[in-house]
Amino acid sequence: ETVGQRDPPSPPRGVEMIALVIILIVVAVLVVWLIGAYNGLVRRKNRVDNAWSQIDVQLKRRLDLIPNLVETVKGYAAHERQTLDAVMQARSAAISAAPTPAAQAQADNVVSGALRQLFALKEAYPDLKANQNFLALQEEVTATEDKVSYARQFYNDSVLGYNNRIQSFPAVLLANMMKFTRRDHFETDAASRDVPKVQF
């Protein structure tokens, strides 16, 4: 050992302890944030999935009502074959549509338009207009469409909250890492919901 050369003075033991405590606190805060952020993303994703299942239930319920409705109308307006076929074709297309918001919304627009054409027939057939079974089915379909509308609003609100969260910093870093992907809204064509003008 060279004479006069000394080891550098070691830092006081207290400073090392403080540095270690600070590092542990930072790591703990980071872990707590990661757990909280991940759980928040999962909750929002599950809310979107639940909201979509509510739309799906109501759309299927409406599709289940259509055959009885068509059979009732057929008893009074059997020669309105084109309208009756259009309703059943729209129903078949909706049943086979992909389970995505875009495909289901497009199918929903077609079904809604076909049903409005079907309901418009009652103006030309007074006996149909007075038929209690037809009126009850029409009321059920209308009530179901109202439920679809409410469920759609809840779903779109849930999607908006979820998409905002996964695209916001710093949650976007975790969302990308954990494969949380953007969800589509359930958009309907407003024009298709206008009451059709039917002339006889």
Side-chain angles (χ1 to χ4, degrees), residues 60-178:
K60 284 179 179 165
R61 173 168 168 67
R62 184 175 64 169
L63 294 177
D64 289 343
L65 293 169
I66 288 175
N68 289 338
L69 187 61
V70 167
E71 284 303 313
T72 302
V73 173
K74 200 183 287 183
Y76 294 89
H79 63 282
E80 298 286 352
R81 195 84 224 155
Q82 188 176 355
T83 301
L84 297 173
D85 286 347
V87 173
M88 292 308 291
Q89 286 169 9
R91 178 181 185 269
S92 295
I95 288 171
S96 61
T100 63
Q104 290 294 319
Q106 185 177 2
D108 176 62
N109 289 334
V110 175
V111 169
S112 294
L115 283 173
R116 270 190 291 285
Q117 293 289 341
L118 185 69
F119 291 144
L121 292 177
K122 72 181 180 183
E123 301 305 324
Y125 299 94
D127 289 344
L128 176 62
K129 194 174 183 177
N131 180 278
Q132 291 303 310
N133 191 35
F134 174 78
L135 293 174
L137 286 166
Q138 183 181 19
E139 190 174 323
E140 271 196 80
V141 169
T142 302
T144 303
E145 286 184 339
D146 288 343
K147 289 175 183 174
V148 169
S149 183
Y150 175 78
R152 183 176 64 246
Q153 182 63 50
F154 178 67
Y155 171 79
N156 285 339
D157 288 346
S158 299
V159 167
L160 179 64
Y162 170 79
N163 286 344
N164 283 344
R165 176 58 63 94
I166 68 168
Q167 293 170 350
S168 300
F169 186 82
V172 67
L173 303 175
L174 181 63
N176 288 339
M177 208 165 44
M178 297 295 181

Side-chain angles (χ1 to χ4, degrees), residues 36-53:
Y38 178 79
N39 289 342
L41 290 172
V42 169
R43 274 193 302 273
R44 285 180 182 270
K45 178 180 173 291
N46 289 343
R47 188 178 302 147
V48 170
D49 291 340
N50 178 59
W52 176 251
S53 71

